Amino acid sequence: MTLQFRAQDLEGGEPEAVSAYQKGDYSTAAQLWQQKAEAATQAQNKIVALSNLASTYLKLDRVDLAQDIVEQNLDLISATGKVDSSIYAQALLIAGNVSEARGDTKIAVERWSRARETYRERDLTGFVKASLNLIKGYSDLGLYNRLDDELARLETVTDDLNDAEAIVQSLLAMGNAYQLIGNYDLAELRIEQAVELNPDAETIIALANLYKYQGEYDQAEAQLINLLAQRRNATEYSTIYQAKLQQMQLAMHQKQWSKALELARVLQAESSKLPVNNTTLRWQLESVDSLLKIADRNVLNVELNLVNNY
């Protein structure tokens, strides 16, 4: 769960680009950041614009372009010499995100570590962002001793944050990491705290997943039902789809194949309502993968044309 840059984290004095980013119009945002970088007369302004451009290219899944921009930006930073610490840390954090997207987790961890140390005692929210990314990186690399150290470090600073969203993301990341290493008591405590502060799809589904992996299936189902009940009359199709996908996977986990098949059909019918982006595409692929697993069980003679119609 790499913490990507949120729109309000983008810097550089380009309101139109930030507005486009907030609306999900990443193509327009990228064009505007490119123009900002080309027009910049001061190195630090160009560095900020290039950092934001690289982050926006990641949103467009143009990892190749993001990598080119990162290399250009790091070369510029090296040539410039002294750069404001927050600008340098932002560039390193985004460079790490790009490395991770390219599958270079070791390089990503190195860059996030440097970003965290640059943020230290200057920008607590930035420090936590880098720490959250490191938790993900250490988890992916299986470096559990370092993961434990990073969790201990994060525990000491989260209460001092003034950014409510950063607090939630910190609690959620800690909960997921504790779950990974088998400390379910702390995992439940931190995720429940995140839910209490912000009961949205991300936090509630995280809690449902924790209950599922502990074998507390009724509690997991209750969380998902409550989430769907909150969105019953809403047009939050992404949240509804995600919750039903989790319900289907929970049913499969319990070998409730008839229920899982029924939910698979519902997901197929609702897939056309989803916005088109990498996240929703991944959800649909997960749904198809789950359906194929149901078919492998030869349950109810599952119609494979349901897969073909996705």
Side-chain angles (χ1 to χ4, degrees):
M1 185 195 78
T2 302
L3 185 63
Q4 299 291 341
F5 268 79
R6 295 165 289 157
Q8 58 265 42
D9 294 318
L10 298 176
E11 302 178 20
E14 187 59 56
E16 291 183 6
V18 173
S19 177
Y21 192 101
Q22 288 174 327
K23 295 174 182 176
D25 186 0
Y26 301 121
S27 295
T28 298
Q31 291 175 3
L32 291 170
W33 288 125
Q34 181 69 51
Q35 293 170 11
K36 180 74 173 178
E38 292 172 354
T41 58
Q42 295 184 356
Q44 294 204 138
N45 291 339
K46 185 167 186 174
I47 291 166
V48 170
L50 289 174
S51 292
N52 292 334
L53 178 59
S55 188
T56 306
Y57 277 144
L58 280 185
K59 290 290 188 181
L60 291 167
D61 200 28
R62 294 302 309 271
V63 180
D64 53 341
L65 289 177
Q67 175 64 16
D68 290 343
I69 295 299
V70 161
E71 290 178 359
Q72 179 184 345
N73 210 20
L74 294 178
D75 287 344
L76 178 58
I77 290 170
S78 179
T80 301
K82 187 174 179 58
V83 177
D84 179 83
S85 62
S86 64
I87 292 174
Y88 178 52
Q90 183 200 29
L92 286 172
L93 196 58
I94 293 174
N97 291 349
V98 173
S99 295
E100 184 200 33
R102 297 179 71 237
D104 295 331
T105 307
K106 289 184 178 179
I107 294 176
V109 163
E110 178 187 343
R111 288 171 169 173
W112 291 331
S113 295
R114 289 160 59 196
R116 187 196 62 202
E117 291 310 303
T118 305
Y119 277 128
R120 183 187 293 275
E121 296 180 359
R122 296 179 181 90
D123 181 344
L124 186 57
T125 299
F127 179 91
V128 168
K129 286 180 194 172
S131 185
L132 295 181
N133 283 6
L134 282 167
I135 284 174
K136 171 66 164 58
Y138 292 147
S139 299
D140 290 345
L141 293 172
L143 300 175
Y144 297 117
N145 288 336
R146 292 189 182 182
L147 176 60
D148 285 340
D149 291 342
E150 203 62 41
L151 284 168
R153 188 177 289 113
L154 197 55
E155 288 277 11
T156 65
V157 300
T158 296
D159 289 342
D160 296 327
L161 285 168
N162 294 320
D163 184 329
E165 185 174 349
I167 293 173
V168 171
Q169 289 296 322
S170 180
L171 290 168
L172 194 58
M174 286 191 289
N176 289 334
Y178 284 130
Q179 178 180 336
L180 177 68
I181 61 179
N183 191 335
Y184 295 115
D185 289 339
L186 267 179
E188 186 169 347
L189 175 62
R190 294 294 176 248
I191 295 175
E192 284 181 343
Q193 288 173 329
V195 171
E196 184 177 352
L197 289 172
N198 185 24
D200 66 358
E202 184 178 20
T203 57
I204 292 173
I205 287 174
L207 186 57
N209 278 332
L210 176 60
Y211 287 143
K212 179 178 74 174
Y213 286 115
Q214 293 185 96
E216 299 175 11
Y217 302 128
D218 290 343
Q219 291 195 59
E221 181 72 16
Q223 292 294 326
L224 297 171
I225 290 172
N226 288 337
L227 178 60
L228 286 167
Q230 294 172 17
R231 306 300 197 276
R232 182 173 296 167
N233 298 317
T235 56
E236 297 179 36
Y237 299 120
S238 294
T239 298
I240 293 169
Y241 190 95
Q242 191 181 8
K244 289 182 178 178
L245 176 60
Q246 293 296 322
Q247 281 188 314
M248 179 181 70
Q249 292 173 345
L250 179 61
M252 291 175 63
H253 200 75
Q254 299 176 84
K255 297 181 173 56
Q256 297 175 347
W257 304 112
S258 297
K259 181 178 180 180
L261 178 60
E262 180 182 352
L263 285 163
R265 290 181 171 131
V266 170
L267 288 168
Q268 183 205 15
E270 296 190 353
S271 62
S272 62
K273 300 176 183 177
L274 292 172
V276 179
N277 56 50
N278 292 335
T279 300
T280 56
L281 177 60
R282 175 173 55 80
W283 292 343
Q284 291 179 73
L285 290 173
E286 284 182 22
S287 180
V288 171
D289 181 63
S290 296
L291 184 58
L292 288 171
K293 290 177 181 176
I294 297 171
D296 284 343
R297 297 285 176 170
N298 293 317
V299 178
L300 301 180
N301 295 317
V302 175
E303 306 94 328
L304 285 179
N305 66 342
L306 186 61
V307 175
N308 296 326
N309 289 334
Y310 255 92

